[in-house]
Amino acid sequence: MTTGLHPGGTPQDPRPTGNHALPRQERGGHGAPHADNRTRSSVITARAAASFEPVGRSVATARSFVRDTLQGWGFADIVDDAVVLTSELVTNAVVHAGTAADVLCLRSDDGVRIEVADRYPEREIPLQGMAVNMGSPDSEGGRGLQLCAALANRWGVEYTPTQKQVWFQLELPERAVGTRTAGPALPADLLPLADGRVRVAVVQIDRTGAINAWNEDAEELFGYAAELVIGKPLTDLAAWPHTPGTSTGIVEALQLSRWEGTYGIRGANGRVTPVYASHLRVRDTGGEPSTVCLLVRDHERAVLQTPLRVSATDTTTSSEGHASDPFEVFIGSPAPDDLDGLLQRTVERARDMLDGDSAFLLLATDDETELEVRASTGLPSARQRFARVPVEAGPGRYGSARMPAVHEDLTVVPGAVPLLNGTGMRSVVTVPLKVEGRLTGSLGVAAEGPGRYSNEEALRLQFAADRIALAVESARLGELERLRRGSLSFLVEASDLLAGTLDRDQTLALMAQMTVPTLATWCAVYTIADQASDPYLSYVLHEDEERIDGLKALLSKISPPDPVPTPGARVWSAPAEAAHESALRTSMRSLGERATLSSGIGTTLATAAAVGGETVVLPLVARNRVIGMLTLGKPSDEHFRQEILELAEDLSRRAALALDNARLYSERTAISQSLQRSLLPPELPQIEGVEVEVIYRAAGEGNEVGGDFYDLFPIRDGAYGFAIGDVCGTGPEAAAVTGLARHALRLLAREGFTGPAVLERLNSAILDEGARSRFLTLLYGELWPQEDGSALLKVVCAGHPLPLRLRQDGTVEPAADPQPLLGVMDDLELYEQTITLDPGDVLLCVTDGVTERREGTRMLGDDGLADVLTTCTGLTAGAVAARIMRAVERFASDAPSDDMAILAMRVPGLQKD
């Protein structure tokens, strides 16, 4: 809704002008057409305009707009007629015509003119002089013109190609000067109670909401001297009652032309004093607006409160006999703009209207088979939110929520209203809420005494229910649309998170964290390894971390839910029953021991409360197999709403697939790692007189073995073989050739073949692999530690990076000559070279993943490796290998793209005693 208020002046004519205006129909109080000259000649002193969207609740908002405007202008005597006429005309526009409505209020010296225009482009335009069809008095729509003819002093209809405008004028009744309202003479004992002196606080608020006047009675009532509060916002002192569904606050109330109501003022002693207030919006001679607030203590409200115009015995008929809107009687003004606030206000007004002890409102599910409790007052908390009852509770008329029902005494027919079982309510009246013949809900009022209600109360409640059903359904659809949009966003985010990991434990944690606390208070995930295994409790989460251990212990003691593949949520009562029994046993044992409540008892009771509400189980089904269950729970007396269960079901399907993918990935990773570990050499042997250190890094995530390999093994007494090689490529294909090479080297060396013979036979074995063969570079050698502390080595370097020898004086030199690589040619002529490592010397062997480490166009290379090795004089073999690896990693910022292996051997020399 958009509004505008323009006090004073003579505004332009709001009606369309120009050649496109069509003839208008004008009528007086008796339907005779005449010229409209009264309003045109009157001086317009103020105007207010508003636009209303084509939704059901706009009718109530339009009534509130007209009532507030006219009361602000001081036209309380004609408010009722204006509200009735506006209500009918706006209803015709937004409900029957389905278009927006524009309402314009014009104030003049002798009355008020209200114009209502709709924007229905296909409305039939009557010919000039053609009689206006007033419609049938018994029809649902079309009564607006009849009411205008009956209530307005003047009225008319104007047409343009794009809209129709109906206007009416109400004149102020003549009344004696000084008399506005009066009440009957009452005995002294019936007069309102007040203190010896009634204090009326006068507070003036400027345009910004700050206090600029504070009288002596305000000082006396609230304890603040004027100088302490002047200049401060009234909101700093006001304790506004934020009633659910009430959108108007203190700031909005101060902007209205007139307002009456109750709120609190925080006094100097810190206490809140309830006050009844009357606000009047004024302006000074300079045009500056301000608000004058008259405040009295709430129990003295009779001093300021405007007398009600509606009889207390008949809330549907005004004092002048005009029918008032039951929606307005129920909801008040302004109507709550959210569903929960609207429903709560409805049950409170229904209870008050029928003088009941409790009231409840239930909304129907989409299939109209169940009713869900959405609002209640005067009932235990267990009955309040999202509990479900069937629409057809029993045979006969009174067993169906589709028909009005009156039960004079529920003790005679126990279970007739399941919602009231065990509440002490004995008489109840229930009526359905229907929209276009479809059941949308049920409204009921109950009392503790029998025989409180009859068909007359049922008719009154049904009449009100019929008028609020459309507003309730509209608000429900709006809430459902917002919930569905939120659900889509939630599921998209959940899918992204679940797709971002293939770790099983992390997937379980994500499943629980996405449901708590968004969908449930606590969550438990059961997994099933295979069809022969029982469900296993894998993960437990509660929104209160202190409750997780107690919840896990409780669930571990009870049998898991059955792995039923049927989709949808099913109720599981075992946790609540087990928690209740555990708490009962603990309490009885404590009483038997005459002990005070210990922390253990407190934990047990807290756990019972945490799982005492509704618990549901959703199956986790992936690839036509139940792989687990997702269990969601609420604390005591709470239930799940149907939309949340549907969202949880969607989440469970996505989570089940993610969990099964994580399982498959884990299984394949375990198999791969097991096979890869079988290709690695066992623990390196200890060689007396020689230090050996190996560092190995396989490229690729999850790879433990690649195309690079190493080995060190005993050949015979006093002799050891060592090898370091590089198969072309990386990954599993290269690892297969790695396994062939490593095992063939061991076998051939132990058969007594020399180094060249071993490599020649390995070359033949690689070539025999055919299409699967890959060439490789290999450095193979045999090591003999000597008694003088040196070591003798015989090496063959087949296409591999040359080994580097570090002497004690810091010089670095190649320790072998390059020879042809393996896996390319059939006939190889290889030879071995003999090296003697003196005490303190180091032999460094690496694969090309080390020397070819790159950063842009730079490469570490053989020279760079030699430079690093020159800094390793005096270091142990382990320190040398670590420094080389550190230098390689620091050379470039990117992760290595090739496998790397480093084999360092050092001869420390003889140890002196």
Side-chain angles (χ1 to χ4, degrees), residues 696-719:
Y696 183 80
R697 297 284 189 274
E701 184 179 357
N703 289 333
E704 294 189 21
V705 176
D708 291 6
F709 67 95
Y710 68 93
D711 201 359
L712 180 64
F713 54 91
I715 299 176
R716 49 190 173 270
D717 293 342

Side-chain angles (χ1 to χ4, degrees), residues 370-597:
E370 288 187 314
L371 294 167
E372 190 175 65
V373 179
R374 292 300 302 270
S376 66
T377 180
L379 293 177
S381 59
R383 320 294 170 133
Q384 285 190 0
R385 296 284 286 176
F386 309 123
R388 290 177 291 277
V389 297
V391 171
E392 308 294 341
R397 170 185 173 184
Y398 296 114
S400 173
R402 303 180 187 276
M403 301 291 291
V406 177
H407 293 280
E408 296 183 351
D409 193 349
L410 290 177
T411 60
V412 180
V413 281
V417 183
L419 185 65
L420 300 179
N421 291 344
T423 62
M425 301 296 162
R426 297 188 60 181
S427 55
V428 62
V429 52
T430 60
V431 296
L433 275 68
K434 294 185 177 181
V435 175
E436 298 180 351
R438 181 173 59 87
L439 180 69
T440 60
S442 178
L443 176 64
V445 179
E448 295 180 351
R452 288 281 298 276
Y453 303 116
S454 63
N455 289 339
E456 181 180 353
E457 284 79 11
L459 290 174
R460 292 178 61 193
L461 190 61
Q462 183 66 74
F463 183 70
D466 290 342
R467 300 303 294 269
I468 68 172
L470 183 60
V472 169
E473 180 66 4
S474 176
R476 187 189 74 86
L477 293 176
E479 181 196 63
L480 188 60
E481 178 64 20
R482 289 189 296 272
L483 183 62
R484 285 175 177 170
R485 289 182 181 179
S487 300
L488 289 176
S489 300
F490 173 79
L491 290 174
V492 168
E493 183 179 357
S495 299
D496 289 342
L497 290 173
L498 291 171
T501 179
L502 288 172
D503 182 82
R504 176 182 177 276
D505 294 337
Q506 189 174 359
T507 302
L508 291 172
L510 283 175
M511 290 171 57
Q513 291 167 6
M514 285 186 292
T515 58
V516 177
T518 305
L519 305 182
T521 305
W522 61 270
C523 167
V525 182
Y526 291 85
T527 57
I528 303 175
D530 52 62
Q531 295 183 354
S533 302
D534 294 330
Y536 174 75
L537 182 62
S538 299
Y539 201 91
V540 176
L541 184 65
H542 194 283
E543 64 180 6
D544 184 357
E545 294 182 356
E546 296 181 356
R547 301 280 174 264
I548 294 178
D549 292 338
L551 179 60
K552 186 182 298 184
L554 175 69
L555 295 176
S556 300
K557 295 177 182 178
I558 61 178
S559 300
D562 295 331
V564 179
T566 306
R570 53 192 174 93
V571 177
W572 186 33
S573 60
E577 294 174 355
H580 177 73
E581 293 177 0
S582 177
L584 183 61
R585 286 195 303 269
T586 304
S587 300
M588 293 179 63
R589 183 166 58 251
S590 175
L591 292 174
E593 297 173 355
R594 297 182 178 181
T596 58
L597 286 177

Side-chain angles (χ1 to χ4, degrees), residues 185-251:
L186 294 176
D189 57 344
L190 296 181
L191 294 175
L193 183 63
D195 293 340
R197 176 187 172 186
V198 177
R199 297 186 180 274
V200 180
V202 180
V203 184
Q204 193 161 5
I205 313 300
D206 64 17
R207 178 195 294 268
T208 65
I211 301 171
N212 59 15
W214 184 269
N215 71 342
E216 294 180 358
D217 281 355
E219 295 182 8
E220 188 68 24
L221 284 175
F222 310 122
Y224 296 106
E227 58 267 23
L228 297 178
V229 295
I230 290 179
K232 292 185 177 180
L234 180 62
T235 53
D236 289 354
L237 305 179
W240 190 261
H242 293 286
T243 306
T246 301
S247 59
T248 304
I250 181 66
V251 176

Side-chain angles (χ1 to χ4, degrees), residues 646-664:
E646 293 173 358
L647 180 57
E649 185 176 358
D650 287 339
L651 176 63
S652 68
R653 287 194 289 267
R654 289 165 170 79
L657 187 59
L659 184 61
D660 199 47
N661 288 339
R663 177 188 63 83
L664 293 175

Side-chain angles (χ1 to χ4, degrees), residues 116-467:
V116 179
D118 64 45
R119 307 169 189 172
Y120 193 62
E122 300 177 359
R123 184 179 298 278
E124 179 182 358
I125 302 177
L127 299 176
Q128 186 175 9
M130 180 179 179
V132 178
N133 181 13
M134 305 291 284
S136 170
D138 299 324
S139 65
E140 178 64 22
R143 295 193 297 260
L145 300 183
Q146 296 182 16
L147 289 175
C148 287
L151 300 179
N153 299 103
R154 303 174 68 83
W155 66 279
V157 184
E158 298 180 1
Y159 293 91
T160 72
T162 58
Q163 70 175 18
K164 184 188 90 169
Q165 183 183 90
V166 180
W167 61 269
F168 61 88
Q169 180 174 321
L170 299 173
E171 298 177 358
L172 293 176
E174 296 183 0
R175 58 190 180 190
V177 177
T179 302
R180 181 175 184 275
T181 184
L186 294 176
D189 57 344
L190 296 181
L191 294 175
L193 183 63
D195 293 340
R197 176 187 172 186
V198 177
R199 297 186 180 274
V200 180
V202 180
V203 184
Q204 193 161 5
I205 313 300
D206 64 17
R207 178 195 294 268
T208 65
I211 301 171
N212 59 15
W214 184 269
N215 71 342
E216 294 180 358
D217 281 355
E219 295 182 8
E220 188 68 24
L221 284 175
F222 310 122
Y224 296 106
E227 58 267 23
L228 297 178
V229 295
I230 290 179
K232 292 185 177 180
L234 180 62
T235 53
D236 289 354
L237 305 179
W240 190 261
H242 293 286
T243 306
T246 301
S247 59
T248 304
I250 181 66
V251 176
E252 291 81 4
L254 293 174
Q255 297 299 319
L256 297 177
S257 59
R258 190 169 187 85
W259 182 88
E260 286 185 21
T262 302
Y263 54 91
I265 297 291
R266 296 183 182 88
N269 58 4
R271 296 181 179 178
V272 175
T273 301
V275 297
Y276 190 83
S278 176
H279 297 176
L280 177 64
R281 188 82 164 158
V282 298
R283 60 175 177 150
D284 60 17
T285 55
E288 182 69 15
S290 62
T291 303
V292 178
C293 305
L294 305 180
L295 311 175
V296 297
R297 284 172 290 196
D298 190 62
H299 66 273
E300 297 171 338
R301 63 169 56 201
V303 177
L304 299 180
Q305 188 170 17
T306 301
L308 298 176
R309 297 179 61 86
V310 180
S311 171
T313 59
D314 188 0
T315 58
T316 62
T317 305
S318 67
S319 58
E320 298 179 2
H322 303 313
S324 59
D325 194 340
F327 181 85
E328 181 180 332
V329 174
F330 261 56
I331 305 304
S333 176
D337 56 4
D338 65 297
L339 179 61
D340 290 337
L342 179 63
L343 299 183
Q344 192 62 36
R345 182 85 65 86
T346 298
V347 296
E348 291 171 356
R349 299 298 170 86
R351 180 192 61 184
D352 296 341
M353 186 182 78
L354 297 187
D355 193 23
D357 297 312
S358 64
F360 50 89
L361 194 151
L362 302 87
L363 295 183
T365 55
D366 292 338
D367 56 4
E368 296 185 37
T369 60
E370 288 187 314
L371 294 167
E372 190 175 65
V373 179
R374 292 300 302 270
S376 66
T377 180
L379 293 177
S381 59
R383 320 294 170 133
Q384 285 190 0
R385 296 284 286 176
F386 309 123
R388 290 177 291 277
V389 297
V391 171
E392 308 294 341
R397 170 185 173 184
Y398 296 114
S400 173
R402 303 180 187 276
M403 301 291 291
V406 177
H407 293 280
E408 296 183 351
D409 193 349
L410 290 177
T411 60
V412 180
V413 281
V417 183
L419 185 65
L420 300 179
N421 291 344
T423 62
M425 301 296 162
R426 297 188 60 181
S427 55
V428 62
V429 52
T430 60
V431 296
L433 275 68
K434 294 185 177 181
V435 175
E436 298 180 351
R438 181 173 59 87
L439 180 69
T440 60
S442 178
L443 176 64
V445 179
E448 295 180 351
R452 288 281 298 276
Y453 303 116
S454 63
N455 289 339
E456 181 180 353
E457 284 79 11
L459 290 174
R460 292 178 61 193
L461 190 61
Q462 183 66 74
F463 183 70
D466 290 342
R467 300 303 294 269

